[in-house]
Amino acid sequence: MSTPPLEELRAGDLRPYADLVGPGKPLDGRVGVMLGHLDVPGLTTDVPTSIAPAAYRLLRENYRFDGLAMTDDLGAMKAITDRFGLAEATTRALTAGADMALFSNVTPVAPLLDAAEKALADGRITAQDNDTAVARVLAAKGLCHRG
């Protein structure tokens, strides 16, 4: 699915994010953001936002969002499954900056974990990024506090 260009989204649809998320804002640390499988002219080029590093950079750097960022369903959406297997899509999402990669289809998890572990071993996912993502997930579940 294609959206209006990024600059048009910044002027309209994305404006609430600037007021609500980020350090000291009303929803700081209280929300998560799900990135859909969207084509955003001016932001994405060859992959949907859910697996595009530029989308996560926009969220983290421009909006200073430090909460949980997750993908939309990677296993059932044609924008993903028409191009990538679930293990590759999951690894691409985590490498791009997702803290949590979601999928609804019944799939053995071992190949997904193996692919993520290989990306960590290869340096495509850094240990620091992995630790930060795990901390965000645990904080969102109320199992630890960050900072």
Side-chain angles (χ1 to χ4, degrees):
M1 177 176 168
S2 189
T3 70
L6 179 58
E7 289 311 311
E8 187 176 325
L9 292 174
R10 284 184 196 265
D13 294 42
L14 293 176
R15 287 185 69 194
Y17 283 93
D19 296 331
L20 296 173
V21 301
K25 303 290 176 84
L27 297 179
D28 184 28
R30 297 177 42 206
V31 298
V33 172
M34 179 180 282
L35 284 83
H37 309 307
L38 305 172
D39 173 27
V40 181
L43 179 66
T44 60
T45 52
D46 60 341
V47 295
T49 53
S50 56
I51 60 174
Y56 293 93
R57 280 193 305 273
L58 176 74
L59 184 62
R60 301 286 186 208
E61 296 171 11
N62 292 85
Y63 293 95
R64 297 177 42 195
F65 180 73
D66 193 35
L68 183 66
M70 66 197 93
T71 67
D72 200 346
D73 186 343
L74 294 171
M77 303 294 212
K78 295 288 184 193
I80 300 295
T81 58
D82 280 355
R83 296 178 61 191
F84 307 108
L86 188 55
E88 182 180 351
T90 299
T91 301
R92 282 177 175 254
L94 297 174
T95 301
D99 299 311
M100 184 182 287
L102 303 177
F103 62 96
S104 62
N105 52 338
V106 179
T107 299
V109 73
L112 308 181
L113 294 174
D114 290 345
E117 187 175 81
K118 184 174 180 342
L120 189 58
D122 293 347
R124 289 180 287 147
I125 301 172
T126 68
Q128 180 179 357
D129 288 345
N130 184 68
D131 291 350
T132 300
V134 169
R136 285 183 185 125
V137 171
L138 292 175
K141 291 181 175 191
L143 299 174
C144 74
H145 296 293
R146 294 182 62 217

